[in-house]
Amino acid sequence: MPLEPPPTLLCPAGDFGPVAADVHAPAWRKIAPVALRETVTGGAPNQATDLRVAVSGMDLRVLFDCVDEDVWATKTMRDDRLFEEEVVEVFLDPVGDLECYFELELNPLNTVLDLVLRKSVSGLKKETAWDCEGLRTAVQLTPRGWTAELAIPFESLMPGCARMPGWRCNFTRIDRPRGHPRELSAWSPTGLALFHVPERFGVLRLGE
């Protein structure tokens, strides 16, 4: 079955307070979640993930609420290979030309991987030397799994990027239940068992 066109996500603006990964916080409760979907088929994953995205001051705020019967991770060093375990991920292209984009990952231990990816003649070039200056994150274990929140300063991506139209983005999760195959979920499914498909990035509309 062909995938639907990449979606558009409207990010309302508000005061979201401290970064606490709390889906019950009053500001987050006002935002209807959108569900991540299995990235190959576009169907419902075995373990669901609700996504909320908003603008708070000069930050992009992203909240993942993950159903997970077996939450686990071992990596605690920044810029380690978090994608080898359980993780949520944010892909952002503020310019919207799909030639270069930022990736931020967060695992259940609140460990961060942040990098820049650029298209080259030999494929995607990863630049892990980049750090998202001013990034704040939080993780909570919950009765149904785990939640993760990121506050991404617009200025850490590039000066003035909050005012650029045509942001492209994706929001994804790697779930690795022990003893079972991994499951890849995405806000904008790619049709492939990988997320690095910029052409499938959706559109982000920033609220005011």
Side-chain angles (χ1 to χ4, degrees), residues 34-153:
V34 295
L36 301 193
R37 295 181 288 162
E38 201 280 324
T39 195
V40 176
T41 65
N46 292 322
Q47 298 202 109
T49 308
D50 285 341
L51 169 73
R52 294 171 173 85
V53 185
V55 174
S56 182
M58 294 305 295
D59 296 328
L60 183 71
R61 300 284 285 267
V62 183
L63 180 66
F64 295 89
D65 183 11
C66 306
V67 173
D68 197 335
E69 296 180 356
D70 182 19
V71 182
W72 71 277
T74 67
K75 299 182 185 297
T76 58
M77 182 179 298
R78 185 164 185 154
D79 289 341
D80 204 346
R81 296 168 63 87
L82 305 189
F83 48 84
E84 294 179 342
E85 300 182 342
E86 297 202 318
V87 73
V88 291
E89 305 174 329
V90 177
F91 298 86
L92 297 171
D93 175 6
V95 175
D97 63 3
L98 305 180
E99 295 295 318
C100 172
Y101 57 92
F102 301 91
E103 178 181 356
L104 300 101
E105 301 184 9
L106 191 62
N107 77 3
L109 297 176
N110 201 28
T111 308
V112 170
L113 165 61
D114 46 3
L115 66 156
V116 180
L117 295 106
R118 303 180 192 275
K119 284 187 177 180
S120 69
V121 293
S122 58
L124 287 171
K125 179 182 179 182
K126 297 181 179 181
E127 301 177 7
T128 57
W130 175 75
D131 284 339
C132 183
E133 186 175 351
L135 175 70
R136 285 117 52 219
T137 64
V139 169
Q140 282 196 37
L141 297 181
T142 69
R144 70 182 213 145
W146 62 294
T147 57
E149 183 176 356
L150 304 92
I152 305 167

